[in-house]
Amino acid sequence: MRGSLIFAFLAELHRLDTQATAADPDGGGLLAAGYDPDFKEPVLVDPDDDGLGQSTRREHPAVQVPCQVEPEVFEALSMFASGNSPSSQVKLVFHFRDLERLELVDPVSGEARIRVGDRLGALFDRGGALVQRIRTPPGLYVTEARPIGFGLFRPRPRRNLLLVTFEPRRVAAPRLSP
C-alpha cells in the first residue's frame, strides 16, 4: 500500500533533452555546441536573420503524468521601473507508482527523471479535457524535484511522492547593435 493522489489532474511535461540541445545548432558555423560554455544555458541562434534569437533547447516528446496540483502563486504582479513582471509558482505532487509505470524513474539510480529545467506545458482533467495551457514564454520550469512521503507502509516502507516546484525563467533579450 503506497497511498494515492487526491483530486488528481494530468500534467503535460516537456522534459529537457540535454543531448539534443548540446548538438551543434548551426551545422558547422560559429557555434560548436547548443550550450553557452560560460553560463551552461541553451544559446540563441538566428537562422532566418530577422534579428530575433531562437533557443537551441530541445525537448523529449510530451508526456502526461497524473499529479496533485498545489498552486502557490499564479501570475502575481511585480512592478519594476521597466514595467511589470508577473511571477508564478506551482507545485505538483507526483506518485512514484505513476512515474515508475511511465518509465520516469531511472532503474539504476532510483532517481526520478523529472529534473530541473523540464517544462510544464498544460494541465488536464482526468478525462483529458484541457484545464489550463501554460504560456511559453515565460513558461513554468522545474526548479526543484524532491522526494517526499517516505515510509508510510510499516511492513515494507517505500517512498511514494515527488514534490516538483515550477517557476518562470526570465529570458533576457540580447541588445541588438544598429
Side-chain angles (χ1 to χ4, degrees), residues 15-28:
R15 296 183 309 120
L16 175 63
D17 186 338
T18 55
Q19 290 181 340
T21 301
D24 184 354
D26 60 355

Side-chain angles (χ1 to χ4, degrees), residues 59-116:
E59 299 173 334
H60 291 285
V63 61
Q64 289 189 348
V65 185
C67 68
Q68 185 174 308
V69 181
E70 305 287 337
E72 296 290 321
V73 178
F74 204 81
E75 294 195 356
L77 186 61
S78 298
M79 294 299 291
F80 295 96
S82 60
N84 68 33
S85 178
S87 63
S88 301
Q89 184 183 70
V90 175
K91 293 185 180 189
L92 300 182
V93 179
F94 298 97
H95 202 292
F96 268 96
R97 179 180 50 240
D98 296 319
L99 298 177
E100 291 159 358
R101 179 178 51 81
L102 294 167
E103 298 179 2
L104 293 174
V105 176
D106 185 297
V108 176
S109 68
E111 285 184 281
R113 289 186 171 144
I114 298 174
R115 298 201 171 106
V116 170

Side-chain angles (χ1 to χ4, degrees), residues 23 43 52 56 62 94 97 116 123 136 171 176:
V43 296
L52 299 175
T56 58
F94 298 97
R97 179 180 50 240
V116 170
L123 293 171
T136 303
V171 178
L176 301 176

